[in-house]
Amino acid sequence: MISRATKGRTIGWSTALATIAGVLSAPGLAQQAPPSTTPQAAPMVQPIQSVALPVLNPAQAAQLSQLIAESGFAQGLRHGATAAPRPQDNDAIVRAALDYARAVHSGRLDSSDFQADWGLRPMAYDPLPAFADAVKRDRVAAWIRSLPPPYSGYDALQKGLVAYRAIETAGGWKAIPAGPDMGVGASGARVLALRQRLAVEDRDVVATGSKFDAELKEAVVRAQRRYGLNPTGLVSTGTLAALNVPAADRVRQIMANMERWRWLPAELPAKRIQVNIAAAVLTVFEGDAPIASMKAVTGRPGNETPMLQSRIHSVVLNPPWNVPTSIATKELWPKGAAALARQGYKIIGTGPGRRLQQQPGPKSALGLYKFDFDNPYAVYLHDTPSQSTFASFSRLASHGCVRFEKPGPLARLLLRNDPAWQPEQIDTALAKGKTLRVSLQPQDQVQVYLLYWTAFASANGEMSFRADPYGWDKTLAAKIEKRSALTAVAAR
């Protein structure tokens, strides 16, 4: 962890943020989860060809075989309750234990399973030394318990997995039929169906009655908050869609998010900036505590914001926008040169190699600030002159980069230890309109994480979900199940 101690002029993040109190709001902190790093992925199945495997005594063999069978289901490595046949001989049991350890500690996927825009990778992990020691000291059960990610967020998801599997086993919930919006004063069979649906997740809801009263409205508001929707108390199309997602899909969603937790390192930097892509929220962390949060705008489906980890190394004041060729071709060139000039675009070059650059100024799509970090996707954090999107509860509207509400306070926070770039100097430079790149000192560079969290527990332990706009949950859950099935067959 990065030390919180300060030296010389170095100002702690909490102190620096206190100087801009009231500027950074803190909505939606429960949507956030600790971030990950991007080490090289290790193959899921690591051969142990020339290494002597530990020899289990009969009691250890029986105990370990049972623990693996039960824990694999509990850790969300498979959806169905039916377990694969248990291995019988010593080497088969040991290999199954080592495979389980890699899966629950560092992820079920093989490196080939990762999509290009899943730019996070678990650290390579060899479970054999610790396992051999556990066998020697007859502490196999303790070793099994030590394998999952050491985060309360993961533990909360595991508890949520138990709860939603129980709901699924009991039959889940019935879909609420389509129809007009429902609010206070409505009545009929659809209101009864709404009550029955809400009561499955909310024990305070009365599951009988066909009238939409004030108490039912409050229950709808609670559900809308759990699903990241506008808490109006009116059941419209978006709320109906969230409530009608089958319980089995919620189980798979939890499984997918548990897998992403396994991609995290054992230790995290004390200071970090994190974006929940699915929830479109940016949060500043000190240690594991969120100290400021603000709304963001992330990539729309088709222009997905990638998952990644990097380090912010510079702040660009009055940045120009070098328009990607794909955006220029699809959206800007058809407008014509005159229209582009009115929007501050400059045509650079001629012929097939020409490109567009939007000049700094009030119309610039990047606003006044750009935060650069190395990554292969050419994405970054930036300001925007358009604030209207932040008022929406659905904020997936960018081409892949991340816009956010309060870039000025973040820039002052990052530059707080540079005597040449105090707030007065920043404001002066912005007023001149000239593009300036300010490099951060190595000790002031901050880790940034773009993550995709769609299932998590709130402060009171209640499960919350967000939409899966990119379809990554379903894809990941299917890959987990497929890999689990393949390893089960290989172990026979």
Side-chain angles (χ1 to χ4, degrees), residues 150-184:
Y151 298 113
S152 60
Y154 182 90
D155 295 339
L157 280 181
Q158 188 178 10
K159 293 177 182 177
L161 183 65
V162 173
Y164 278 79
R165 273 180 169 153
I167 292 172
E168 181 187 9
T169 301
W173 47 69
K174 294 181 180 178
I176 302 168
D181 292 353
M182 289 185 284
V184 173

Side-chain angles (χ1 to χ4, degrees), residues 405-435:
E405 278 186 300
K406 308 294 182 182
L410 182 60
R412 294 196 290 274
L413 179 65
L414 295 177
L415 296 170
R416 68 198 182 282
N417 294 317
D418 190 335
W421 291 104
Q422 295 304 295
E424 182 178 351
Q425 287 89 343
I426 294 173
D427 292 342
T428 299
L430 291 173
K432 292 180 178 179
K434 182 180 178 181
T435 299

Side-chain angles (χ1 to χ4, degrees), residues 316-390:
V316 182
L317 306 178
N318 296 312
W321 181 33
N322 295 303
V323 184
T325 301
S326 60
I327 298 176
T329 301
K330 293 179 182 178
E331 302 178 23
L332 297 178
W333 288 122
K335 294 182 178 181
L340 292 174
R342 287 193 296 270
Q343 292 296 315
Y345 288 97
K346 178 181 178 181
I347 300 175
I348 300 175
T350 58
R354 65 177 182 164
R355 61 187 178 87
L356 281 176
Q357 183 186 76
Q358 190 178 34
Q359 301 303 294
K363 296 179 181 179
S364 172
L366 303 190
L368 299 178
Y369 303 90
K370 176 174 174 249
F371 301 82
D372 275 344
F373 46 89
D374 295 334
N375 68 91
Y377 307 98
V379 298
Y380 40 83
L381 308 181
H382 67 89
D383 184 17
T384 175
S386 176
Q387 298 291 305
S388 60
T389 312
F390 294 122

Side-chain angles (χ1 to χ4, degrees), residues 85-102:
R86 297 185 185 184
Q88 299 299 319
D89 64 89
N90 181 85
D91 284 7
I93 295 173
V94 170
R95 291 184 185 280
L98 296 176
D99 174 72
Y100 167 80
R102 283 187 289 269

Side-chain angles (χ1 to χ4, degrees), residues 214-253:
E215 288 186 359
L216 184 58
K217 178 181 178 180
E218 289 305 309
V220 170
V221 167
R222 291 195 297 273
Q224 289 169 330
R225 293 189 188 280
R226 286 198 304 276
Y227 289 107
L229 304 171
N230 192 359
T232 61
L234 181 70
V235 180
S236 55
T237 304
T239 300
L240 195 67
L243 292 173
N244 282 346
V245 172
D249 285 0
R250 293 303 184 194
V251 169
R252 293 185 179 93
Q253 193 170 4

Side-chain angles (χ1 to χ4, degrees), residues 43-63:
M44 178 192 67
V45 178
Q46 299 176 357
I48 324 169
Q49 296 175 350
S50 59
V51 179
L53 299 180
V55 177
L56 308 171
N57 63 43
Q60 288 174 330
Q63 180 188 38

